[in-house]
Amino acid sequence: MPRKSPSGGESVKFQNGEFVSPDNPVIPVMAGDGIGPEITVSMRRIVDAAVAKAYGGKRAIRWLDVLAGESAQAAGKDLLPQETLDAIRQHRVAIKGPLMTPVGGGHRSLNVTLRQVLDLYACVRPVEYFRGLPSPVCKPEQMNVVIFRENTEDVYAGIEWPADSAEAEKVRGFLKKELKVSIREHSGIGIKPMSREGTERLVRMAVKYALKHKRRSVTLVHKGNIMKYTEGAFRDWGYALAAREFGGQTVTETEVTEKHGGTAPAGKLVIKDRIADNMFQQILTRTNEYDVMAMPNLNGDYFSDACAAQVGGLGIAPGANIGDGLAVFEATHGTAPKYVGKNLINPGSLILSAVMMLEHLGWGESGALVKSALAGCFAAREVTQDFARQMEGVRPLGTTEFTAAALARI
Ligand code: NAP
């Protein structure tokens, strides 16, 4: 059973495909591992202040602390306790700090498990530039993309077996005998499934978002020239879905060239695709030609960090894992172990994830307050060390000082 909810709180509802928030929603919060607790404290203080200011005390979040990762283990529970999953299911909208995953052995990624168990099939990561921040590129202000990364399939989804395990040997034997495919001895084996259903629901969410927010294009990013029946199918299913369900509101890039003289008809959303390796160079050289993007899991993981680097780094890279009727908001970065307890880390990524959460609750006014407080800090060169070290003559603020500076602007 979920833990007892904070008094006076109610669950967010999901009606006609939309999240509907009461004035006092219960929001489960997992502080996470590593730097998670430090950035979570900062995020909560800033969100509470913005909500209080925006709604004069009529609305307030009732935070419900739930455990996951090392904190759950320390309390003698599973790494991802059932009561945490139950609380998220019950209250529908949650927020989390990063969770540690050991490399090469140990437990499976709790982040991947959470996304799969709750079927949070879209990882949504907006990347935009804030004036005043340092960047390794000449025109960072041209970056304004929203990445929809498929979250439950692909080679990244964790179907894999170690070299020499009984399972890997079984798969190797099956492939050799039944399909005449030879895999070298002592190979670890991973499987890359990509389904039509998984692709369609992701692309549908991306196209709906683009239409609702009057964006210019949706780009399908894939490696379909090589992995034809997974990544190539992602592209084909994506185009087919857009034509079938949104044909009146969309046009393909090919149609724009061949039928419309190179200019998209007014009000139409352009659907295009790019091969992933080309996409990585295009986002650097033709940044402003890209807008909403949809891609399989592994491409999306690499691509969202690369985009974040173009606008200053992971310290301001927010995200959300969204399914039908459930949403878990989280920073794009991990547990940054070398910074734990040093009061050096940038809480911006989790704070901006909370802005996405507030918008999702229909509390856009408070989200706008938080965003403009952060933008004000950045413009005034009030930044943490990740940005300060890339700027001339700026004294870095600690995590708590940065939080105080943002609070002062709310
Ligand atoms: P990471 O924790 O994201 O840290 C990599 C680097 O990114 C840091 O050393 C730092 O760069 C920069 N960075 C990260 N967060 C930052 C912040 N808030 N402010 C400023 N800079 C920040 O990646 P990792 O070291 O590869 O992974 C560590 C652990 O996190 C692993 O166990 C991994 O599995 C896990 N992880 C979890 C999630 C998740 O929970 N969703 C996501 C990714 C990784 P500098 O060294 O240049 O300062």
Side-chain angles (χ1 to χ4, degrees):
M1 280 299 290
R3 306 166 109 207
K4 196 168 177 303
S5 296
S7 59
E10 293 169 57
S11 299
V12 172
K13 296 196 168 44
F14 190 65
Q15 291 166 345
N16 305 321
E18 301 282 337
F19 289 87
V20 180
S21 179
D23 286 341
N24 49 1
V26 176
I27 305 287
V29 53
M30 284 157 271
D33 301 328
I35 55 163
E38 291 170 64
I39 58 176
T40 301
V41 167
S42 167
M43 177 278 293
R44 281 170 68 155
R45 289 185 65 199
I46 288 175
V47 167
D48 284 342
V51 169
K53 169 99 182 207
Y55 308 114
K58 289 199 183 73
R59 288 177 170 173
I61 289 177
R62 310 282 186 228
W63 302 104
L64 173 65
D65 288 298
V66 291
L67 299 174
E70 287 169 349
S71 59
Q73 215 165 29
K77 297 175 186 278
D78 292 342
L79 282 162
L80 194 53
Q82 187 60 42
E83 65 202 51
T84 294
L85 294 170
D86 290 343
I88 299 171
R89 284 201 181 95
Q90 180 185 347
H91 300 299
R92 295 190 177 277
V93 172
I95 188 161
K96 69 175 273 288
L99 294 168
M100 188 276 292
T101 310
V103 176
H107 67 77
R108 243 186 113 197
S109 165
L110 301 178
N111 302 299
V112 171
T113 306
L114 194 64
R115 293 164 191 168
Q116 288 184 339
V117 170
L118 298 175
D119 201 22
L120 304 169
Y121 60 82
C123 179
V124 184
R125 292 177 167 174
V127 186
E128 65 177 308
Y129 180 67
F130 285 90
R131 195 169 59 83
L133 288 185
S135 160
V137 299
C138 303
K139 294 181 180 163
E141 66 283 357
Q142 291 191 349
M143 172 74 77
N144 187 354
V145 300
V146 183
I147 298 161
F148 284 75
R149 168 193 175 201
E150 205 290 326
N151 233 357
T152 60
E153 303 191 328
D154 199 357
V155 71
Y156 190 104
I159 311 173
E160 59 169 7
W161 301 282
D164 301 327
S165 63
E167 294 87 349
E169 285 309 298
K170 207 167 180 178
V171 174
R172 221 164 61 82
F174 172 81
L175 290 175
K176 188 164 183 190
K177 183 158 172 256
E178 302 292 330
L179 300 174
K180 313 289 175 241
V181 173
S182 220
I183 292 184
R184 211 172 276 152
E185 270 188 297
H186 313 303
S187 292
I189 297 178
I191 294 208
K192 179 183 174 78
M194 285 171 58
S195 69
R196 191 172 76 181
E197 184 198 340
T199 302
E200 286 185 348
R201 62 186 184 170
L202 187 266
V203 174
R204 183 181 295 116
M205 194 189 279
V207 172
K208 276 187 176 172
Y209 174 93
L211 290 169
K212 183 173 174 189
H213 294 88
K214 303 201 183 332
R215 308 287 295 222
R216 291 166 296 147
S217 65
V218 173
T219 306
L220 308 169
V221 182
H222 58 87
K223 189 68 187 163
N225 51 333
I226 307 297
M227 292 171 273
K228 296 177 193 300
Y229 310 120
T230 49
E231 305 251 339
F234 178 89
R235 184 197 73 155
D236 296 345
W237 288 324
Y239 272 122
L241 179 281
R244 194 170 68 242
E245 295 188 9
F246 305 97
Q249 296 148 284
T250 62
V251 62
T252 65
E253 187 178 45
T254 308
E255 288 168 339
V256 171
T257 309
E258 292 177 356
K259 296 189 191 156
H260 302 285
T263 306
K268 295 263 185 170
L269 177 70
V270 178
I271 310 292
K272 52 189 176 180
D273 78 281
R274 294 289 180 273
I275 293 177
D277 38 347
N278 178 32
M279 189 65 245
F280 273 81
Q281 67 98 16
Q282 293 260 309
I283 198 68
L284 284 160
T285 56
R286 304 169 77 134
T287 313
N288 60 1
E289 291 181 20
Y290 296 95
D291 193 343
V292 174
M293 324 194 69
M295 59 194 78
N297 197 323
L298 185 59
N299 295 341
D301 192 42
Y302 296 156
F303 192 69
S304 39
D305 275 31
C307 288
Q310 269 180 247
V311 296
L314 284 177
I316 49 155
N321 300 294
I322 301 180
D324 293 327
L326 292 179
V328 177
F329 295 80
E330 69 170 341
T332 294
H333 61 72
T335 57
K338 71 181 181 189
Y339 291 119
V340 176
K342 295 195 172 142
N343 194 33
L344 286 174
I345 204 72
N346 186 348
S349 181
L350 190 64
I351 296 170
L352 289 170
S353 303
V355 169
M356 292 175 75
M357 182 183 81
L358 292 169
E359 286 165 357
H360 224 76
L361 294 175
W363 294 15
E365 305 81 1
S366 54
L369 270 180
V370 175
K371 207 165 163 183
S372 84
L374 257 53
C377 289
F378 299 147
R381 294 157 69 86
E382 294 165 357
V383 294
T384 42
Q385 60 87 29
D386 50 322
F387 294 141
R389 71 188 178 198
Q390 304 177 60
M391 298 157 85
E392 288 292 322
V394 173
R395 185 185 72 81
L397 300 185
T399 312
T400 48
E401 288 171 286
F402 177 78
T403 306
L407 280 170
R409 290 177 182 279
I410 287 176

